């Protein structure tokens, strides 16, 4: 499997693109600027078949319309796209596409799949389990356990420390998650929290994303930069 860190920053970060991760042909989160960032990394939209959304903050969702307009303009329309996310996805997607001239046409050959919390689904080669996280007033916010080729990857953006975050840590080989700032804030884990779990769950590799402009590093956590590739 190939994991590409498309963006590793949080919304206020100046140096890094908004958080987005590509696992083979499944793109997780598509916030403001993700489509341009894919272009900068020379990744064509036609290499993506699945778009998985964690929650409906603009740094995770707002480029969804731009993605479809871009693939239409570039004539990269080969794939049937499955858009997967928390309850409310269909209503939001349709709202976005009402704003564009070719909205209905853009959504042709697309499937929208809404996930209920804790109900695991099989989507082609992927097994995806959505697990509710704690992200202030933003409900639902899902973390995911994604299983493919006998590998389990956890994605936890965005969240504060909560039991379900720890539950994901216990059950995955790789954890890619929110380390928004150096210390905890009201809606996010800090690197301090993230590092404590990395120390506790040594069989799991922890990758800090959704990072602000801080440069703190430590030996327990990996700190991917935009465009980095991890083969597992
Ligand atoms: Zn958020
Ligand atoms: Zn965010």
């Amino acid at each position: 499997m190939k994991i590409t860190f498309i963006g590793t920053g949080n919304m206020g970060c100046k140096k890094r693109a908004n958080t987005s991760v590509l696992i083979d042909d499944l793109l997780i989160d598509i916030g403001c600027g993700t489509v341009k960032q894919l272009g900068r990394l020379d990744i064509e939209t036609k290499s993506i078949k699945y778009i998985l959304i964690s929650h409906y903050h603009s740094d995770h969702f707002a480029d969804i319309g731009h993605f479809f307009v871009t693939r239409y303009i570039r004539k990269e329309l080969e794939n049937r796209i499955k858009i997967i996310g928390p309850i409310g996805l269909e209503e939001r997607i349709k709202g976005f596409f009402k704003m564009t001239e070719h909205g209905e046409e853009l959504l042709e050959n697309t499937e929208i799949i809404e996930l209920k919390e804790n109900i695991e689904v099989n989507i082609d080669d992927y097994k995806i389990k959505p697990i509710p996280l704690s992200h202030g007033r933003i409900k639902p916010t899902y973390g995911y356990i994604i299983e493919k080729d006998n590998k389990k990857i956890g994605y936890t953006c965005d969240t504060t420390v909560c039991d379900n975050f720890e539950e994901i840590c216990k059950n995955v080989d790789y954890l890619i998650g929110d380390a928004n700032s150096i210390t905890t804030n009201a809606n996010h884990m800090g690197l301090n929290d993230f590092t404590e779990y990395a120390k506790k769950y040594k069989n799991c590799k922890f990758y800090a994303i959704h990072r602000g402009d801080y440069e703190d590093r430590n030996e327990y956590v990996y700190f991917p930069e935009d465009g980095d590739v991890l083969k597992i």
Side-chain angles (χ1 to χ4, degrees):
M1 289 170 77
K2 181 179 177 185
I3 299 174
T4 308
F5 294 92
I6 305 300
T8 59
N10 65 17
M11 189 68 165
C13 179
K14 294 175 184 165
K15 297 177 193 163
R16 286 185 268 277
N18 275 330
T19 281
S20 177
V21 176
L22 181 63
I23 300 176
D24 291 340
D25 51 7
L26 179 146
L27 184 71
I28 313 177
D29 282 338
I30 185 159
C32 324
T34 295
V35 174
K36 286 289 181 198
Q37 177 67 1
L38 287 167
R40 276 183 217 112
L41 298 174
D42 212 17
I43 297 170
E44 296 181 325
T45 60
K46 66 183 175 190
S47 65
I48 294 165
K49 292 185 185 166
Y50 311 89
I51 299 173
L52 179 63
I53 307 292
S54 61
H55 65 297
Y56 301 119
H57 267 155
S58 61
D59 57 323
H60 297 260
F61 184 58
D63 247 14
I64 189 81
H66 190 191
F67 178 88
F68 282 88
V69 173
T70 300
R71 71 196 287 269
Y72 176 82
I73 288 169
R74 293 183 187 160
K75 298 186 171 49
E76 295 177 351
L77 297 166
E78 292 92 331
N79 293 331
R80 178 174 172 78
I81 304 285
K82 293 183 181 179
I83 314 172
I84 309 151
I87 300 292
L89 182 64
E90 182 159 4
E91 185 189 351
R92 284 176 171 84
I93 295 276
K94 290 191 169 159
F96 260 120
F97 283 88
K98 273 189 191 146
M99 294 190 289
T100 66
E101 190 184 349
H102 306 288
E104 284 183 17
E105 197 178 340
L106 293 173
L107 273 180
E108 276 177 14
N109 206 20
T110 298
E111 187 179 347
I112 297 171
I113 302 171
E114 296 192 345
L115 302 180
K116 295 194 180 88
E117 61 184 47
N118 298 311
I119 307 291
E120 187 175 79
V121 294
N122 288 301
I123 299 176
D124 302 328
D125 295 336
Y126 297 92
K127 197 180 276 186
I128 299 174
K129 184 169 185 182
I131 298 173
L133 296 174
S134 169
H135 187 37
R137 288 178 295 134
I138 309 304
K139 292 181 176 44
T141 294
Y142 286 166
Y144 292 107
I145 296 177
I146 297 155
E147 192 174 347
K148 188 188 178 201
D149 299 341
N150 296 318
K151 304 259 176 22
K152 285 187 174 179
I153 301 163
Y155 179 85
T156 59
C157 248
D158 302 342
T159 190
T160 50
V161 170
C162 59
D163 290 346
N164 280 348
F165 171 77
E166 184 154 14
E167 192 61 29
I168 294 173
C169 295
K170 284 180 194 166
N171 285 289
V172 298
D173 311 303
Y174 302 86
L175 193 285
I176 301 169
D178 186 359
N180 186 73
S181 41
I182 295 171
T183 54
T184 320
N185 75 25
N187 291 320
H188 296 275
M189 292 176 68
L191 180 60
N192 56 339
D193 305 309
F194 201 71
T195 301
E196 288 308 308
Y197 286 95
K199 287 180 187 172
K200 188 170 175 184
Y201 294 99
K202 291 197 171 59
N203 291 332
C204 175
K205 292 186 166 69
F206 281 69
Y207 293 81
I209 54 169
H210 206 273
R211 307 196 311 266
D213 286 313
Y214 66 84
E215 295 299 336
D216 288 42
R217 299 287 184 268
N218 66 58
E219 62 189 288
Y220 304 100
V221 170
Y222 294 91
F223 295 87
E225 298 296 340
D226 295 1
D228 281 359
V229 172
L230 170 66
K231 292 202 172 157
I232 63 171

